[in-house]
Amino acid sequence: MEYEKWWNKETKKLLLSITVSKEKYKGKTYKWDGWDLLREKDDPEKAVDNFERRAQDILYLGGAYPNLWLNLGPGVLAAYITGFLKFTGDTAWFEHPMEWDDIEKLLDSLDENNEWWAYTKRLAHLIGGKSRGKFVPGMTDIGGIADVLASLRGTENLLMDLIERPEVVLMAMDKILELWHYVYDEIDGILSKYMEGTSAWMGLWCPRRWYPIQCDFSAMISPKMFERFVAPYLKEQACRLDHTIYHLDGPGEIPHVDMLLDIEEIDGIQWVPGAGNPNVISEAWLKLYERIQKKGKLLVLNCDSITLDKIQWLFERISPEGVYVSGHCDSEDEAYEILEWRERI
């Protein structure tokens, strides 16, 4: 199994996932954007049917697969804690600033009757049951530990609390960590009844329990604060899961890269340049990729689109070993050319 070898660093081959619109469906593909599970909350079966329609119009090549993950927004654990979720039509918001006394009361355990937590478990059964032989279900976007706390406290408030009330922050993060793993274990326990291995929003399948871990909040703090408030929780999550990829989101997080690379239990890094920056296949990021590869970490690059020229350019400059690239091709012919080129390098 190609994915298993990639996770275990047992292959020198590039892992490639390519999607392409089937020629007869070009221009007619259902415009799935991932938000149907919220748009169709009263009829989630319709959302699953919409995904299946879309998947039938797409050719999945290399390591690609139809991946229906439980998308209720980034960091939905906050909604499981507070009950607050605002859906705007193309994204979901969870920030609901509260005082510490109110936060602490909510962190001892999850309310099993919470609307969004109950809906997530219902979706896991529905999607799992309908997936067999048609698509791969994926874990919901639980969120980063500090990111969830920022939703509960308010980002600006939390930044001040790191200085003024650090022990209170750490106590809350300890509790959120436990809730995070409770959610993961519960949903994984449901999905594992219907599938082998695990998947998530990043589009990677793993034969064991894996997840993308992150801290978008870290773009606003110093490496010293990262070392105290973020790194220990990332290490703990990586120890509790079989495999992890850290979601490195934008240049603001680059100052923390060396610390991330020193966490032995983290398998790899996904680089996301962020809006307004050069895309992942760019001269701008080659030194970053070299740092990641020098530490023996896996490298995940999710592209909007890929061409043979772009792929060849990148792998004339970095090693293909331990790298995963996903993207969409404009034509079937070019997609197959890329796969043939992969076999030659």
Side-chain angles (χ1 to χ4, degrees), residues 7-70:
W7 281 109
N8 292 335
K9 302 175 184 177
E10 295 172 346
T11 177
K12 295 183 181 297
K13 283 286 185 183
L14 167 69
L15 180 55
L16 259 177
S17 288
I18 301 175
T19 57
V20 58
S21 298
K22 294 178 181 176
E23 293 293 340
K24 64 179 179 179
Y25 292 116
K26 276 201 170 178
K28 302 176 184 178
T29 299
Y30 178 77
K31 302 299 183 184
W32 172 269
D33 66 359
W35 292 107
D36 274 17
L37 296 174
L38 281 173
R39 288 196 191 101
E40 307 295 345
K41 184 171 180 286
D42 294 331
D43 186 10
E45 286 204 36
K46 180 180 177 182
V48 179
D49 291 343
N50 288 342
F51 178 83
E52 287 190 49
R53 283 173 54 202
R54 179 259 194 181
Q56 290 169 2
D57 298 345
I58 301 293
L59 192 62
Y60 296 88
L61 300 173
Y65 55 89
N67 181 39
L68 180 49
W69 60 280
L70 282 62

Side-chain angles (χ1 to χ4, degrees), residues 256-328:
H256 311 310
V257 165
D258 287 339
M259 213 174 305
L260 287 165
L261 295 177
D262 283 340
I263 300 175
E264 184 179 350
E265 293 82 1
I266 293 177
D267 294 275
I269 305 289
Q270 179 212 30
W271 171 237
V272 178
N277 294 309
N279 65 37
V280 295
I281 300 180
S282 166
E283 187 90 31
W285 315 123
L286 292 181
K287 288 185 179 178
L288 174 63
Y289 301 159
E290 289 169 6
R291 289 166 69 186
I292 293 168
Q293 292 194 316
K294 188 175 180 181
K295 280 286 190 173
K297 300 290 188 182
L298 301 170
L299 175 62
V300 174
L301 302 175
N302 300 109
C303 310
D304 290 330
S305 64
I306 54 175
T307 64
L308 181 58
D309 287 346
K310 287 180 180 178
I311 289 290
Q312 287 178 324
W313 179 90
L314 180 63
F315 291 101
E316 286 170 359
R317 288 157 178 81
I318 68 169
S319 169
E321 186 173 351
V323 183
Y324 169 85
V325 174
S326 69
H328 192 79

Side-chain angles (χ1 to χ4, degrees), residues 189-217:
I190 295 171
L191 294 178
S192 64
K193 296 175 182 177
Y194 306 101
M195 65 181 287
E196 291 184 10
T198 51
S199 183
W201 58 263
M202 201 176 284
L204 283 163
W205 180 84
C206 181
R208 304 179 71 190
R209 286 159 44 100
W210 99 275
Y211 199 75
I213 57 176
Q214 66 189 77
C215 184
D216 292 353
F217 179 79

